[in-house]
Amino acid sequence: MSFRNSLMEGRQVVGTWLFAPNTIFMELAAQVGIDFVLIDLEHGEASLQDIPMLLRAARGSTMAVLVRPPSHDLKTLSKLADFGVDGVVVPKVDTAEEARDIASACRYPPRGTRGMAIGSIRASGYGTEAGYRATADDQMMVAVQIETRAGLENSKSIQQVSEVDMIFIGPNDLTAELGYEAQCQQSTAEIDALVDQLKSSSKLLGTIPYFGVGRQALLDRGISLLVIGSDIAAQRQFLQNLKSPE
């Protein structure tokens, strides 16, 4: 069963960010049995060209590989689909029209606009997977991030876009957009209200822990996909503890 379909059937998953193009981290995460790694091309140092190498590091495992692209660029989204990522988490989606275009770039006609090169792409095993075309649209998860004031204002129309599988709430950017210098009780109240609104639809929900709301509380509220920590945070903490042990 694909990662996307398992979420649709109620699975809840916890994974982490990857900011650097580190194949050893990917291999180790896969061997440990992490549910997924989310590669961040928006803020991290990995590039589009690094994705096949990182995917190969996880090959043969049950760990899913997701990617946050740097923008809404439709050609980049189609390229990620061709590489064979398990899903995309697209930042700063402000309107339903943007959400439709993003989902369309990840699906083949008639559901979308993804180009047909099935015999040559990594996602199809370079043409060796005979049934790839029939299952491709249902294998890739499409998540859009609500993390701006415009996205918040248009959240009800965004959640109605049928080809979008998941709404991913970005608490850090959303907090700043709402005028708060840092996450606080007020920002948490507004994010909680958004979670409650989005839960009224059939959309999957994803996020990161935010002020006063941790891992178990979010899972108890029905969050399907939770991202905790990162490769950078883990290395920083280790080095800081090594320098100044308690």
Side-chain angles (χ1 to χ4, degrees), residues 139-150:
Q139 288 178 347
M140 185 170 176
M141 185 195 73
V142 178
V144 299
Q145 282 194 245
I146 291 181
E147 53 183 344
T148 65
R149 186 177 293 277

Side-chain angles (χ1 to χ4, degrees), residues 16-21 26 36-47 50-55 64-70 80 85 87 89:
T16 192
W17 297 99
L18 180 71
F19 284 86
M26 291 290 288
F36 69 90
V37 167
L38 177 47
I39 303 168
D40 193 336
L41 301 187
E42 183 187 19
H43 298 296
E45 296 187 14
S47 68
D50 292 319
I51 299 302
M53 170 185 69
L54 293 168
L55 284 165
V65 180
L66 313 178
V67 176
R68 176 159 69 176
L80 290 170
V85 304
V89 180

Side-chain angles (χ1 to χ4, degrees), residues 124-136:
S124 70
Y126 305 102
T128 63
E129 296 181 16
Y132 175 75
R133 172 66 183 85
T135 60

Side-chain angles (χ1 to χ4, degrees), residues 18-125:
L18 180 71
F19 284 86
N22 188 334
T23 55
I24 295 176
F25 184 93
M26 291 290 288
E27 280 188 300
L28 185 56
Q31 289 169 7
V32 168
I34 298 298
D35 291 333
F36 69 90
V37 167
L38 177 47
I39 303 168
D40 193 336
L41 301 187
E42 183 187 19
H43 298 296
E45 296 187 14
S47 68
L48 183 64
Q49 290 71 32
D50 292 319
I51 299 302
M53 170 185 69
L54 293 168
L55 284 165
R56 291 183 181 106
R59 187 174 183 178
S61 74
T62 59
M63 184 180 78
V65 180
L66 313 178
V67 176
R68 176 159 69 176
S71 70
H72 300 184
D73 181 67
L74 304 183
K75 292 181 180 179
T76 297
L77 292 168
S78 293
K79 190 75 170 177
L80 290 170
D82 285 352
F83 284 158
V85 304
D86 294 290
V88 291
V89 180
V90 183
K92 291 183 169 57
V93 177
D94 293 339
T95 68
E97 182 179 7
E98 289 177 354
R100 286 190 196 95
D101 288 344
I102 287 164
S104 182
C106 299
R107 316 283 194 209
Y108 285 123
R111 292 173 65 182
T113 58
R114 182 180 170 191
M116 302 286 289
I118 292 172
S120 304
I121 58 174
R122 183 184 181 280
S124 70

Side-chain angles (χ1 to χ4, degrees), residues 137-225:
D137 287 349
D138 290 328
Q139 288 178 347
M140 185 170 176
M141 185 195 73
V142 178
V144 299
Q145 282 194 245
I146 291 181
E147 53 183 344
T148 65
R149 186 177 293 277
L152 181 61
E153 292 171 351
N154 293 319
S155 58
K156 289 184 178 180
S157 60
I158 292 172
Q159 76 183 73
Q160 292 173 2
V161 178
S162 61
E163 289 295 334
V164 169
D165 302 309
M166 175 181 290
I167 306 294
F168 190 100
I169 300 170
N172 292 326
D173 283 347
L174 189 54
T175 294
E177 284 269 328
L178 293 172
Y180 303 108
E181 291 186 4
Q183 290 188 31
C184 56
Q185 289 182 346
Q186 292 89 339
S187 66
T188 289
E190 297 199 46
I191 294 169
D192 282 346
L194 177 60
V195 171
D196 289 340
Q197 173 205 307
L198 293 171
K199 283 174 63 179
S200 67
S201 76
S202 60
K203 288 286 182 287
L204 301 170
L205 296 183
T207 191
I208 64 174
Y210 51 92
F211 184 85
V213 187
R215 170 179 177 156
Q216 194 56 52
L218 288 165
L219 293 175
D220 289 345
R221 293 188 68 187
I223 295 296
S224 296
L225 184 140

